Amino acid sequence: MTGGKGRLLSDTLAAARAEGRSALIAYLPAGFPTVDGGIAAIKAVFEGGADVVEVGLPHSDPVLDGPVIQTADDIALRGGVKIADVMRTVREAYEATGKPVLVMTYWNPIDRYGVERFTAELADAGGAGCILPDLPVQESALWREHAEKHGLATVFVVAPSSKDARLAEITAAGSGFVYAASLMGVTGTRASVGAQAQDLVQRTRATTELPVCVGLGVSNAAQAAEVAGFADGVIVGSAFVKRMLDAPDEAAGLDAVRTLAGELAQGVRGA
């Protein structure tokens, strides 16, 4: 990966490491609660202390996502969100903050939209890359060709069930960072992140120099601090979405996600 905003992602993660801490990576879906509201929420989590934001591309069958994110996706889809709105979200979030903004999406929408078109538009919008949870590495050559051309990172997901040889295959094909799913299952907040995550990070690091960032289950500062003790980045999604869902109005939702980002930012710093 050369040039493009994928380099910004790598530099941001390296800067966090140089500070002796993990990066805070937040997830929010585009179009939730509205397109404008979603953009405002992303700006709010950056203001609160997030280093990187993943913009979810809402999907009707989100196999990795639990009920909280499914609810937000449904709201966005019923609101008529389109890929153009996702690109606008990336553009406005990046232009307002200068910080790395990724898209997290299932493969089907990209396949239907066109790989060359999607990667070109994402790069033009200032996007840093994509997280592709359901694209098999062995079927990813076309995507990686176009992503590389536009300087976009390609982030693959590894799971506790991944064997060591499979981890090596996945990490060799990826760039930016490796998304380590802390446990088998779907996204959502949990009481404990579990020892599986630490073991997965150790096994993944044995195969790559890429940063390894942990997601699925982190919802508060204490959990963020725990994961930051062994991972290069802490990924939080459902907890942000739940704050938005539970808020009585949009302004309260923005305050809630900004506050949570601040608490988690202190957590990844061991505070």
Side-chain angles (χ1 to χ4, degrees), residues 62-139:
V63 293
L64 185 69
D65 296 313
V68 171
I69 291 176
Q70 286 183 25
T71 298
D73 277 6
D74 185 57
I75 290 169
L77 290 168
R78 283 191 283 113
V81 70
K82 301 288 192 295
I83 288 180
D85 299 312
V86 177
M87 298 299 178
R88 180 189 153 208
T89 299
V90 171
R91 183 184 302 278
E92 294 196 17
Y94 169 69
E95 289 179 349
T97 65
K99 295 183 178 181
V101 183
L102 297 150
V103 168
M104 186 166 186
T105 178
Y106 298 98
W107 180 245
N108 180 258
I110 295 178
D111 191 38
R112 294 183 64 184
Y113 197 71
V115 175
E116 168 60 22
R117 180 184 178 194
F118 189 94
T119 52
E121 290 184 6
L122 181 56
D124 183 68
C130 257
I131 302 167
L132 301 161
D134 68 340
L135 177 63
V137 167
Q138 61 270 26
E139 297 175 19

Side-chain angles (χ1 to χ4, degrees), residues 19-35:
E19 293 175 14
R21 65 174 179 89
S22 288
L24 173 60
I25 303 173
Y27 167 95
L28 283 165
F32 167 72
T34 62
V35 176

